[in-house]
């Protein structure tokens, strides 16, 4: 049996918004500042694979204000903070966001130096660390647990898909069992884990995405970031798309939103949603030809769910 109305926590948006939760928890906006610490990626340097994931071009993740700062983390934070303060003057807390490449892929001494340099900045309240699920050794998680006793520490793991055939096809270099294990080990240490997920990867189907909602719901995830596949210049997918666009179909925004709504209906209702899409800079995007602005996707998702009289978790079964 399903309830006729969304639970109170979901009423406004019909899905659980991470931003709403963090605003309530911290009494205002929590803003991430991207920092680039010069780490690399084991799926590019040969230790896990070569060539990287077929969708990846890290230029798509690097904000313009970072390009002038080299690897100086303090300078990056100052520059980012100045830029973002003008845009979001109401910000109450700042988190240093280790986003591009794999930000746990180095020896622990180097990681400590990078993280603690960021935490030593007087304006920084915590860290968000993005990485691959096969780069989170227990020793690192123990250290992050220690850090979490004095700062906000969030881990972001690139799950991307729950379907092993798709993960192999995009040259991801790990399977879903690896992601599930990493989420469980991090959560066991009290670390909030956000998973990244891409909708519409080659080989993925509506059925595999909806099965993924059940698999992800069974994990101790705090949040998910959902992205629609976009073909970015400088990637293997871009080469495939140029050769034959039919081999890399991309979802139009309406199809994506309907699929995302289907997915959310089957997702555990206490997994917060940090993102409902992504916006690749037009200069880097090959397909789709036009893209819905990120700011418009969230209200359109709520409208899609409302039109169905539906909400996150409506069809979730434990
Ligand atoms: S998506 Fe992440 S893991 Fe994959 S190639 Fe890019 S940096 Fe490496």
């Amino acid at each position: 049996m399903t309830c006729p109305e969304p639970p109170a926590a979901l009423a406004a948006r019909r899905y659980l918004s991470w931003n709403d939760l963090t605003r309530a928890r911290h009494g205002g906006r929590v803003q991430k500042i991207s920092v680039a610490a010069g780490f690399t990626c084991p799926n590019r340097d040969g230790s896990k694979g070569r060539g990287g994931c077929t969708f990846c071009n890290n230029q798509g993740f690097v904000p313009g204000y970072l390009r002038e700062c080299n690897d100086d983390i303090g300078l990056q934070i100052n520059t980012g903070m100045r830029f973002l303060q003008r845009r979001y003057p109401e910000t109450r807390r700042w988190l240093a966001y280790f986003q591009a490449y794999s930000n746990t892929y180095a020896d622990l001494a180097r990681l400590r130096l990078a993280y603690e340099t960021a935490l030593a900045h007087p304006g920084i309240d915590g860290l968000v660390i993005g990485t691959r699920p096969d780069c989170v050794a227990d020793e690192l998680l123990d250290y992050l647990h220690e850090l979490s006793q004095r700062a906000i520490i969030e881990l972001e793991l690139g799950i991307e898909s729950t379907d092993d055939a798709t993960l192999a096809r995009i040259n991801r270099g790990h399977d879903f069992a690896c992601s599930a294990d990493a989420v469980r080990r991090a959560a066991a240490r009290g670390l909030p884990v956000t998973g990244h997920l891409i909708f519409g990867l080659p080989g993925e189907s509506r059925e595999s995405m909806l099965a993924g909602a059940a698999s992800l719901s069974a994990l101790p995830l705090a949040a998910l970031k959902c992205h629609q596949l976009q073909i970015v210049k400088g990637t293997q997918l871009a080469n495939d798309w140029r050769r034959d666009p039919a081999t890399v179909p991309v979802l139009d925004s309406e199809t994506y939103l309907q699929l995302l709504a289907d997915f959310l209906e089957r997702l555990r209702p206490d997994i917060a949603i940090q993102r409902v899409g992504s916006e690749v800079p037009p200069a880097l995007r090959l397909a789709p030809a036009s893209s819905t602005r990120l700011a418009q996707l969230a209200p359109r998702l709520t409208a899609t769910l409302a039109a169905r009289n539906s909400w996150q978790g409506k069809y979730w079964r434990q």
Side-chain angles (χ1 to χ4, degrees):
M1 212 169 97
T2 57
C3 329
E5 295 294 336
L10 308 184
R13 298 184 191 267
R14 293 179 175 259
Y15 62 89
L16 187 65
S17 156
W18 176 265
N19 284 348
D20 292 351
L21 285 181
T22 52
R23 269 179 190 269
R25 191 173 298 145
H26 297 292
R29 184 181 181 89
V30 179
Q31 180 62 46
K32 293 173 190 154
I33 304 176
S34 286
V35 293
F39 298 127
T40 60
C41 166
N43 203 21
R44 290 187 174 278
D45 71 4
S47 82
K48 294 278 177 185
R50 290 210 182 274
C53 308
T54 60
F55 59 83
C56 172
N57 173 350
N58 271 277
Q59 282 306 310
F61 306 134
V62 179
Y65 64 78
L66 270 185
R67 295 193 189 110
E68 60 207 64
C69 297
N70 306 318
D71 285 347
D72 185 329
I73 290 174
L75 179 62
Q76 292 176 20
I77 292 172
N78 287 336
T79 308
M81 206 177 262
R82 263 198 312 277
F83 174 81
L84 293 163
Q85 242 159 4
R86 284 195 295 272
R87 194 180 270 192
Y88 307 113
E90 76 281 18
T91 298
R92 283 189 60 92
R93 296 210 184 276
W94 297 91
L95 305 179
Y97 186 16
F98 291 80
Q99 183 181 20
Y101 296 101
S102 301
N103 292 285
T104 56
Y105 182 51
D107 61 62
L108 194 53
R110 186 171 165 213
L111 295 174
R112 274 178 185 268
L113 182 64
Y115 302 157
E116 301 206 17
T117 300
L119 285 174
H121 188 287
I124 289 295
D125 299 295
L127 309 178
V128 181
I129 300 167
T131 192
R132 291 168 56 88
D134 55 1
C135 286
V136 286
D138 283 345
E139 187 190 23
L140 168 84
L141 294 176
D142 289 341
Y143 164 63
L144 294 181
H145 167 73
E146 246 176 77
L147 276 187
S148 72
Q149 305 306 298
R150 60 181 167 95
I152 301 167
I153 303 293
E154 298 170 10
L155 196 60
E156 288 193 3
L157 293 178
I159 296 172
E160 315 310 355
S161 172
T162 61
D163 181 73
D164 284 345
T166 296
L167 290 168
R169 193 159 160 183
I170 62 171
N171 193 36
R172 184 68 194 165
H174 65 76
D175 58 12
F176 178 60
C178 172
S179 299
D181 175 59
V183 173
R184 289 193 189 100
R185 286 184 295 109
R189 290 161 172 86
L191 298 168
V193 182
T194 294
H196 280 228
L197 205 59
I198 301 177
F199 286 63
L201 284 167
E204 200 80 84
S205 63
R206 180 175 180 279
E207 289 65 38
S208 65
M209 290 301 310
L210 299 191
S215 307
L216 293 165
S217 295
L219 295 179
L221 279 165
L224 279 177
K225 283 185 168 180
C226 302
H227 306 259
Q228 74 282 38
L229 178 68
Q230 295 173 82
I231 313 289
V232 182
K233 290 179 187 170
T235 64
Q236 183 55 47
L237 271 190
N239 297 338
D240 298 343
W241 184 86
R242 281 197 185 94
R243 260 194 306 273
D244 182 0
T247 61
V248 199
V250 287
L251 304 173
D252 61 67
S253 66
E254 183 54 31
T255 308
Y256 168 62
L257 284 168
Q258 293 293 342
L259 177 59
L260 182 55
D262 291 340
F263 175 88
L264 290 178
E265 287 174 341
R266 289 155 180 84
L267 188 70
R268 211 176 70 225
D270 67 344
I271 296 179
I273 305 304
Q274 277 213 49
R275 288 184 84 98
V276 300
S278 56
E279 197 173 348
V280 173
L284 284 174
R285 190 186 65 236
L286 276 180
S290 66
S291 157
T292 305
R293 297 306 305 264
L294 196 49
Q296 294 163 358
L297 278 177
R300 281 183 62 190
L301 175 62
T302 297
T304 301
L305 288 164
R308 302 176 178 199
N309 187 27
S310 196
W311 52 85
Q312 179 180 342
K314 185 174 184 182
Y315 301 129
W316 168 67
R317 295 287 173 273
Q318 223 159 351

